[in-house]
Structures are given as structure tokens and as C-alpha cells.
Amino acid sequence: MERFRADGHLTNEALAALVRDDSLDELGRLEIAEHLSFCDLCLQRYTDLLCGAELLAPERSCQKALWARVRTRTLRLVTSRYATAAAAVALALTMLWGGREIQFTHPALPELRPAAAELRAWPERWNDALSETLSGVTDFFDGLRPGNHS
């Protein structure tokens, strides 16, 4: 009995003999087992012979639901990372360029509270500080453009 075809795969007779457990010596079994350990096509044919019936297919596939969950989690992860990084950069730039205008006072000590006029002027000072900060950022990025070496 021939164990291998011309293309290197196991013959149907060798697989059937392996299933029936007959007419194979120990060396033949070893060769077939070694071939089945790396040849997926022959292993599938052997499994089909062992089952004797067609394998059952699931009622519905879960592939679409799994891909949707993978995409959602990936999007959430990427968005979370970039949002955190953007918030950190915005906070750092605000503290770097606009932080010198803000004075923190303790509300329990009346002598440290700013006067009412200062409180009314605070939004304008904050807007000015924010405008300075943003203009500094835009000037910085304008200086990075190619051909703009000043």
C-alpha cells in the first residue's frame, strides 16, 4: 500500500487504514503521524474521516459583533489617549504663558481678598492673558513652517 501521493500528501488508502487501525506497521504509523503534525490539508482529511459526518456550522456567526466590539474599543482607547494628551498640553501651555496673571487667594482671610474693582477687571485680564498665550502658540507654530526662518 502506498502511503504518499506524488504531490507529497497522504493517500486516501493510508488515511483509511489509519482510521480502521489495520495493515500499518510501526514505521508506517510514525511516518503518517509525522506528516499529520505539519500538513493541515491531510490533518483535515483525516479528521473528516474520523468524524464520519460533516461538521456542524453555527446557527449564526459572531464575527460581525466581535469586529464591532474591537473597533469600538480601539476607537475609545485612541480617543482617550489623544484627549488626555491634548488636555495636558493645553493645561501646560496655559500655566506656562498665562499663569503669571492669576493670583490665588485664600477666601477665609478678608485682608487677602481682592477689591471689588479687581474682581470686575479679572475677566478682561484673563482674556488678555489667554490672547497672549494663544498668539504665542500661533507665533511658535508659524516659525516652524518651512521657508519661514526668522
Side-chain angles (χ1 to χ4, degrees):
M1 169 183 70
E2 287 292 319
R3 283 177 258 198
F4 293 96
R5 300 186 307 208
D7 61 357
H9 293 291
L10 293 170
T11 63
N12 291 337
E13 296 167 348
L15 290 174
L18 187 63
V19 169
R20 287 189 312 265
D21 198 23
D22 62 352
S23 71
L24 285 175
D25 57 346
E26 202 57 38
L27 182 62
R29 283 185 185 281
L30 184 62
E31 286 178 340
I32 291 173
E34 183 180 0
H35 182 79
L36 289 176
S37 70
F38 67 84
C39 181
D40 292 335
L41 179 68
C42 291
L43 183 63
Q44 181 65 43
R45 289 173 46 220
Y46 176 61
T47 306
D48 290 343
L49 283 176
L50 281 177
C51 288
E54 194 173 311
L55 296 176
L56 298 176
E59 241 177 69
R60 61 183 176 86
S61 175
C62 61
Q63 183 178 7
K64 288 181 183 178
L66 286 176
W67 275 115
R69 286 179 65 191
V70 167
R71 280 190 211 105
T72 303
R73 285 189 179 179
T74 304
L75 181 64
R76 189 178 306 141
L77 179 67
V78 168
T79 304
S80 171
R81 284 185 180 172
Y82 283 119
T84 304
V89 167
L91 181 62
L93 290 175
T94 302
M95 295 302 291
L96 180 66
W97 288 312
R100 63 181 174 270
E101 295 291 328
I102 300 173
Q103 296 177 357
F104 294 101
T105 59
H106 194 279
L109 301 173
E111 65 273 3
L112 295 178
R113 289 188 186 162
E118 283 185 43
L119 284 177
R120 278 184 250 125
W122 182 78
E124 289 89 27
R125 285 192 323 201
W126 175 252
N127 286 337
D128 293 342
L130 188 59
S131 295
E132 281 181 40
T133 302
L134 291 178
S135 69
V137 170
T138 56
D139 291 345
F140 173 75
F141 284 114
D142 286 342
L144 294 178
R145 281 194 193 143
N148 196 6
H149 301 287
S150 51

